[in-house]
Amino acid sequence: MHSSTLKNPDVLRGGDVFPQTPRTAAMAGSGCALQGNHTLNPALLTAALTSLEAHWVPARFGLPELGSAGCAYTRRWTASGMRAALQHFGFQAYREMQLSVGGGIALGEKLAGGSTIRYTHVSMLRYGSGYAVGIDIGVRMKLSEQLSCGAVAENVAQLPFAKEERLPITMKLGTALEQGAFRVACDFVKQSRFPAVFVLGVEYRLLDILSLRAGASTIPGIASGGAGVQWGQWEIGYAVSAHPDLGWTHTAGIGFRP
């Protein structure tokens, strides 16, 4: 059960396409300890803002067949938060639908934990379909007012599509520095059967309206960038990433905070 794109480093398997907001995509997928990146770490839902959002990737690496679209609802309470999201990826010959529900809770003033359950359904023309359930767990600890660290384990349940096709286990360790309008996120990512990857992302917020972002990752050496504009209760984001062999991927999104 394989599709024909490259990811980490050279293969994209069933269940590998995770939804990314324009902010996360612009920062090269970094930020498992950075406030606001709750798509990467469910523990960050304790600091999320209640919102409705949608994102769109019209084509990965210039291929419309590998595009995706998704939407999500996030709700925050005093010491906890939840998120429900739906994503579609692929085309007629290969298609993935993914439904996820996650929650996070504060375990004190400095520590938070969370978990996400994802249901992924894959269908292939003339080959049938299958589904799998993945469970992610994450923690985040504030070391100081400016510095945080986080850890995430993805697909720890290892529930398979079939005997030969299991969701990949991914481990992430990260730190984040938030100093005024400037933010830096550094993550170490290790997926089963693939080399470790280091990702770095930076963000600068200008006049509480415009956010400028950039990022880079090793293996395969992807560079990314983008921006976000917040106007009242609305936020619009855009990101672009460049793969050294496959080319460009664009991500756009819009969010509303009631």
Side-chain angles (χ1 to χ4, degrees):
M1 188 177 296
H2 298 268
S3 57
S4 58
T5 64
L6 307 184
K7 189 189 175 190
N8 185 12
D10 294 313
V11 178
L12 178 64
R13 297 166 295 170
D16 260 357
V17 180
F18 282 77
Q20 285 193 343
T21 65
R23 184 192 192 206
T24 304
M27 298 175 71
S30 65
C32 73
L34 182 63
Q35 183 174 320
N37 280 9
H38 42 271
T39 58
L40 299 179
N41 188 346
L44 295 169
L45 285 166
T46 58
L49 298 176
T50 298
S51 64
L52 289 166
E53 59 188 88
H55 68 272
W56 179 44
V57 180
R60 277 180 172 80
F61 316 123
L63 299 174
E65 295 86 353
L66 303 181
S68 64
C71 58
Y73 171 69
T74 304
R75 176 67 185 271
R76 180 189 176 186
W77 294 276
T78 303
S80 62
M82 62 80 64
R83 184 176 190 268
L86 179 66
Q87 177 179 259
H88 172 270
F89 163 78
F91 60 116
Q92 184 179 3
Y94 180 90
R95 197 182 305 274
E96 289 186 16
M97 294 292 294
Q98 187 179 102
L99 173 65
S100 64
V101 178
I105 186 169
L107 304 173
E109 294 184 0
K110 297 184 178 296
L111 182 65
S115 180
T116 297
I117 299 176
R118 286 178 291 101
Y119 171 85
T120 303
H121 184 273
V122 173
S123 60
M124 299 180 67
L125 190 65
R126 295 190 296 273
Y127 288 92
S129 61
Y131 70 90
V133 178
I135 299 177
D136 308 338
I137 56 175
V139 295
R140 184 204 188 213
M141 177 178 288
K142 293 192 68 175
L143 304 177
S144 68
E145 287 299 319
Q146 293 79 32
L147 187 65
S148 301
C149 64
V152 180
E154 296 175 349
N155 297 323
V156 293
Q158 275 293 278
L159 302 181
F161 289 101
K163 291 182 179 180
E164 71 281 0
E165 183 70 28
R166 290 177 176 268
L167 293 169
I169 295 177
T170 303
M171 305 296 295
K172 298 179 180 179
L173 297 173
T175 60
L177 176 66
E178 303 179 52
Q179 183 67 50
F182 187 67
R183 296 169 176 82
V184 180
C186 304
D187 288 6
F188 178 84
V189 182
K190 180 65 175 72
Q191 190 179 91
S192 56
R193 301 190 297 274
F194 288 108
V197 178
F198 177 76
V199 288
L200 173 69
V202 295
E203 178 182 59
Y204 182 75
R205 192 167 181 85
L206 184 64
L207 301 176
D208 293 327
I209 296 176
L210 176 65
S211 295
L212 303 176
R213 300 155 182 155
S217 70
T218 62
I219 311 176
I222 293 176
S224 60
V229 177
Q230 184 172 337
W231 189 265
Q233 295 174 295
W234 293 91
E235 183 172 1
I236 298 174
Y238 168 76
V240 61
S241 64
H243 191 287
D245 300 314
L246 300 177
W248 302 85
T249 298
H250 302 268
T251 304
I254 186 170
F256 174 73
R257 298 172 182 173

